[in-house]
Amino acid sequence: MNKRVAWVCLVAMAGLGVMTAGASAQQRPGAAAVRSVDVPALNIIQKGKWAVRDSEGAERTMCVRDPYQILRPENVTTPCQNMVLESAASRATVRSTCTGHGTMLTRITTDTPRQVTVEMQGVIDGQPFSETYDARRIGDCS
């Protein structure tokens, strides 16, 4: 799995706005998102356009529509079960098990609603990965 799994997820939210499905953020046509976990550190993150930098310095932008997208790898389409291991106002650790794909551990530190650090590691589709992403909100999605 490539390094963009996370912010893909934010990873994708910072993954910031990529995947919205499964247990972490499930969407059905005409229905609001349903969440199986409540993570205060994710709840304060602002939606919008984010610049995400990985540990090697590569930067990309993404639209975050739901901060819970961080908890789901980009290439996983099946539901993931999330277990909150640590939760505080500005940090959380969540273990995700994605049916038929693998598991990952995500550590989220919300410095401000506009600046976040996400550390992810695990094995998805047989590929181990470990990555850290720094993300900052840079505006509204177009």
Side-chain angles (χ1 to χ4, degrees):
M1 177 157 82
N2 66 36
K3 296 178 182 180
R4 298 188 180 165
V5 165
W7 286 54
V8 137
C9 283
L10 202 324
V11 116
M13 170 166 134
L16 288 170
V18 186
M19 310 302 288
T20 54
S24 58
Q26 184 174 20
Q27 294 226 271
R28 297 178 306 271
V34 175
R35 294 193 176 99
S36 66
V37 295
D38 182 42
V39 182
L42 290 175
N43 294 339
I44 63 172
I45 294 171
Q46 292 182 0
K47 297 173 187 175
K49 186 175 183 179
W50 286 70
V52 181
R53 186 175 353 112
D54 67 23
S55 59
E56 295 177 358
E59 188 169 294
R60 62 191 168 116
T61 60
M62 48 196 354
C63 181
V64 176
R65 289 184 170 73
D66 182 352
Y68 280 78
Q69 296 167 249
I70 297 171
L71 300 179
R72 181 182 193 79
E74 174 178 48
N75 59 339
V76 171
T77 57
T78 60
C80 296
Q81 298 298 318
N82 300 302
M83 177 185 294
V84 179
L85 303 176
E86 172 197 18
S87 184
S90 63
R91 91 178 160 265
T93 302
V94 178
R95 182 176 188 267
S96 301
T97 301
C98 302
T99 306
H101 291 279
T103 62
M104 65 183 208
L105 187 68
T106 305
R107 289 183 187 91
I108 302 135
T109 304
T110 306
D111 300 317
T112 72
R114 300 171 60 92
Q115 185 165 344
V116 179
T117 300
V118 176
E119 300 171 65
M120 302 180 94
Q121 63 183 30
V123 177
I124 298 293
D125 295 333
Q127 298 296 312
F129 71 95
S130 179
E131 189 57 68
T132 299
Y133 299 89
D134 291 311
R136 60 184 165 72
R137 187 177 186 280
I138 57 175
D140 295 329
C141 296
S142 46

